[in-house]
Short mmCIF file of all heavy atoms in Angstrom, two decimals:
data_model
loop_
_atom_site.label_atom_id
_atom_site.label_comp_id
_atom_site.label_asym_id
_atom_site.label_seq_id
_atom_site.Cartn_x
_atom_site.Cartn_y
_atom_site.Cartn_z
N PHE A 28 222.00 29.38 24.99
CA PHE A 28 223.28 29.41 25.64
C PHE A 28 223.23 28.94 27.06
O PHE A 28 224.13 28.12 27.53
CB PHE A 28 223.90 30.82 25.62
CG PHE A 28 225.29 30.90 26.16
CD1 PHE A 28 226.37 30.37 25.38
CD2 PHE A 28 225.58 31.46 27.41
CE1 PHE A 28 227.68 30.39 25.92
CE2 PHE A 28 226.88 31.48 27.94
CZ PHE A 28 227.93 30.98 27.16
N GLY A 67 217.72 26.94 13.99
CA GLY A 67 216.54 27.40 14.81
C GLY A 67 215.68 26.24 15.20
O GLY A 67 214.44 26.31 15.52
N PRO A 106 235.24 -5.14 32.67
CA PRO A 106 236.01 -4.28 33.54
C PRO A 106 235.43 -2.83 33.56
O PRO A 106 234.77 -2.39 32.64
CB PRO A 106 237.40 -4.24 32.95
CG PRO A 106 237.44 -5.45 32.02
CD PRO A 106 236.11 -5.69 31.55
N GLY A 121 222.45 8.83 34.36
CA GLY A 121 222.22 9.32 33.02
C GLY A 121 220.79 9.72 32.82
O GLY A 121 220.47 10.75 32.19
N ASN A 178 230.45 9.65 20.44
CA ASN A 178 229.75 10.76 21.04
C ASN A 178 229.01 11.59 20.05
O ASN A 178 227.91 12.10 20.26
CB ASN A 178 230.71 11.63 21.87
CG ASN A 178 231.17 11.02 23.19
OD1 ASN A 178 230.51 10.06 23.63
ND2 ASN A 178 232.28 11.44 23.68
N LEU A 183 223.74 13.06 17.67
CA LEU A 183 222.92 13.06 16.42
C LEU A 183 221.64 12.28 16.63
O LEU A 183 220.56 12.64 16.23
CB LEU A 183 223.70 12.45 15.29
CG LEU A 183 223.15 12.59 13.83
CD1 LEU A 183 223.03 14.06 13.46
CD2 LEU A 183 224.08 11.92 12.86
N GLY A 185 220.21 11.73 19.60
CA GLY A 185 219.33 12.54 20.54
C GLY A 185 218.58 13.58 19.75
O GLY A 185 217.45 13.88 20.03
N ALA A 186 219.31 14.33 18.88
CA ALA A 186 218.70 15.34 18.09
C ALA A 186 217.58 14.84 17.23
O ALA A 186 216.48 15.37 17.12
CB ALA A 186 219.79 16.14 17.24
#
Side-chain angles (χ1 to χ4, degrees):
F28 185 72
N178 286 342
L183 191 61

